[in-house]
């Protein structure tokens, strides 16, 4: 028939099998599939990007920083009593008498190092934990509990960079050094004469304390809060966060108390031999008649201080996190 001539090129006609009509349909189908893949891929990328933007927004660092300042301002005198007990093994009454003898003028002596150290440390603790958790969860195929524990330990290890502030705080709170320097900057200057290593005296007990305590704090915070009565208002949320943080802080403070005793003894020294952790621990153990109760002298006060301190920190942090 004249109306149905074969194409001059020898290609099959568009209506025949394998013709342009069928080819065009296949192309359109492939194009639609490709576009769907692109949309899905873009959606996943956007979700991951959005997650990273949220984490890196800095609000966890800000909330941790403000929570630390609130806590230090309220609990510093109590911390000073506790420190005297850790260092000298004296009773609470005797430690309070020492502070009374020092006078009101010296009550907040040495607050600048813990204010600087604690605010920066807690900013790193909360901020790095969130950042590292998000990073590891997206990059590592491991159980979430293990991944978050690793993030907490890494955050705690990073906090140890700020050991010099703890070092200076110990020296300023020890009345034996009152005649050597009068302020934070003078203490830093004197330590500098002994080299950079002197700033990091007592680093080992800090590392042994920070990583495990962070892992336990972040790992148990959620389960403990779930055991409390359901909160329906801001006030009840605040109370639950205070109880949760306080209980965890008190428990961890008691558990790691001996490490802080060894740290205080190591950091109260200026110059001289760098004694290993085990040697200092055994020396304290012998001095306190090889009794566990003597090693934990001051732990009851530390328990109450940590209860208040970590209650304030956790409640303030969670409250600010809801506002930002």
């Amino acid at each position: 028939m004249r109306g149905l001539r074969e194409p001059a090129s020898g290609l099959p006609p568009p209506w025949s099998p394998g013709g342009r009509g069928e080819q065009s349909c296949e192309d359109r189908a492939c194009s639609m599939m490709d576009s769907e893949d692109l949309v899905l891929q873009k959606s996943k990328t956007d979700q991951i990007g959005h997650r990273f933007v949220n984490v890196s927004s800095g609000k966890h660092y800000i909330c941790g920083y403000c929570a630390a300042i609130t806590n230090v301002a309220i609990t510093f005198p109590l911390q000073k009593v506790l420190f005297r007990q850790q260092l000298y093994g004296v009773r609470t009454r005797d430690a309070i008498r020492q502070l009374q003898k020092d006078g009101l003028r010296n009550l907040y002596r040495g607050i600048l190092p813990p204010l600087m150290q604690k605010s920066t440390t807690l900013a790193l603790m909360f901020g790095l934990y969130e950042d590292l958790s998000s990073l590891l969860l997206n990059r590592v195929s491991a159980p979430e509990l293990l991944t978050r524990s690793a993030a907490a330990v890494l955050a705690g290890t990073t906090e140890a960079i700020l050991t010099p502030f703890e070092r200076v705080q110990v020296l300023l709170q020890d009345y034996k050094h009152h005649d050597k320097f009068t302020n934070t900057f003078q203490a830093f200057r004197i330590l500098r004469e002994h080299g950079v290593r002197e700033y990091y005296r007592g680093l080992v007990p800090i590392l042994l304390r920070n990583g495990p305590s962070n892992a336990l704090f972040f790992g148990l915070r959620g389960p403990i809060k779930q055991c409390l009565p359901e909160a329906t208002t801001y006030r009840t949320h605040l109370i639950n966060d205070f109880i949760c943080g306080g209980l965890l802080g008190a428990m961890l403070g008691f558990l790691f108390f001996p490490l802080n005793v060894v740290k205080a003894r190591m950091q109260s020294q200026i110059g001289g031999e760098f004694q290993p952790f085990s040697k200092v621990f055994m020396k304290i153990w012998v001095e306190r008649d090889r009794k566990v109760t003597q090693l934990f002298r001051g732990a009851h006060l530390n328990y109450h201080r940590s209860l208040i301190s970590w209650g304030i920190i956790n409640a303030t942090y969670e409250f600010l996190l809801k506002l930002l």
Side-chain angles (χ1 to χ4, degrees):
M1 295 172 62
R2 291 181 182 178
L4 297 175
R5 290 183 302 173
E6 292 291 330
S9 60
L11 292 172
W15 56 86
S16 66
R20 277 182 297 182
E22 187 178 22
Q23 224 174 12
S24 178
C25 289
E26 285 179 359
D27 289 343
R28 279 199 296 271
C30 290
S31 178
M32 286 173 68
M33 287 173 67
D34 288 342
S35 62
E36 282 176 8
D37 287 340
L38 285 170
V39 169
L40 287 171
Q41 193 174 6
K42 187 176 183 299
S43 176
K44 287 179 183 176
T45 306
D46 288 343
Q47 285 175 4
I48 293 169
H50 181 64
R51 201 176 301 166
F52 275 110
V53 167
N54 283 344
V55 168
S56 61
S57 62
K59 65 178 181 179
H60 296 285
Y61 293 93
I62 295 167
C63 293
Y65 185 86
C66 294
I69 290 174
T70 306
N71 165 57
V72 172
I74 294 171
T75 62
F76 185 74
L78 192 60
Q79 167 62 30
K80 210 163 187 179
V81 174
L82 172 66
F83 168 77
R84 296 288 174 91
Q85 288 189 287
Q86 286 178 337
L87 189 57
Y88 303 116
V90 297
R91 297 180 183 277
T92 305
R93 191 184 306 162
D94 296 327
I96 293 171
R97 280 205 196 99
Q98 285 183 8
L99 291 184
Q100 287 174 339
K101 193 179 289 184
D102 291 344
L104 190 63
R105 181 183 175 186
N106 288 317
L107 183 61
Y108 276 88
R109 173 188 163 92
I111 194 174
L112 187 58
L115 202 62
M116 295 169 68
Q117 181 261 339
K118 202 70 180 174
S119 58
T120 312
T121 295
L122 283 179
L124 289 174
M125 174 183 162
F126 285 106
L128 280 178
Y129 170 72
E130 293 295 335
D131 279 357
L132 290 170
S133 292
S134 178
L135 184 67
L136 291 174
L137 286 169
N138 284 308
R139 299 290 179 88
V140 179
S141 57
E144 186 175 349
L145 179 63
L146 185 63
T147 304
R148 290 192 178 277
S149 297
V153 171
L154 287 171
T157 304
T158 307
E159 291 170 41
I161 295 170
L162 302 169
T163 295
F165 290 108
E166 282 196 62
R167 175 85 167 96
V168 170
Q169 179 187 351
V170 167
L171 296 175
L172 289 172
Q173 289 183 352
D174 185 359
Y175 74 89
K176 289 183 179 179
H177 296 299
H178 278 190
D179 58 335
K180 294 179 183 176
F181 31 75
T182 56
N183 57 58
T184 301
F185 301 106
Q186 199 174 29
F188 270 111
R189 192 162 57 249
I190 288 173
L191 288 178
R192 189 174 60 187
E193 295 171 5
H194 297 274
V196 176
R197 193 183 174 196
E198 190 68 32
Y199 289 120
Y200 286 88
R201 192 184 286 270
L203 178 63
V204 172
I206 288 173
L207 287 171
L208 291 173
R209 177 198 67 191
N210 282 9
S213 63
N214 269 17
L216 289 169
F217 179 81
F218 287 113
L220 296 174
R221 192 170 56 151
I224 288 176
K225 193 172 180 180
Q226 286 176 358
C227 293
L228 298 173
E230 188 179 353
T232 53
T233 63
Y234 271 114
R235 180 179 291 182
T236 51
H237 270 293
L238 204 63
I239 292 169
N240 280 3
D241 289 328
F242 182 90
I243 293 170
C244 176
L247 287 175
L248 268 173
M251 181 191 73
L252 296 175
F254 184 84
L255 184 63
F256 293 98
F257 188 81
L259 289 175
N260 284 327
V261 171
V262 178
K263 178 191 79 74
R265 176 64 66 86
M266 293 174 80
Q267 292 188 330
S268 64
Q269 179 185 339
I270 300 177
E273 181 190 357
F274 276 80
Q275 297 180 340
F277 172 82
S278 57
K279 187 177 179 179
V280 177
F281 177 80
M282 288 308 299
K283 187 178 180 181
I284 295 169
W285 178 249
V286 171
E287 284 177 2
R288 301 194 182 184
D289 301 325
R290 302 176 186 272
K291 292 180 180 177
V292 176
T293 52
Q294 293 290 327
L295 194 61
F296 277 85
R297 175 166 281 180
H300 69 287
L301 186 61
N302 182 64
Y303 180 88
H304 292 101
R305 181 197 65 84
S306 297
L307 188 69
I308 297 167
S309 181
W310 280 99
I312 292 169
I313 289 168
N314 198 51
T316 307
Y317 172 80
E318 292 294 342
F319 176 73
L320 292 173
L321 203 60
K322 289 180 180 72
L323 292 180
L324 295 180

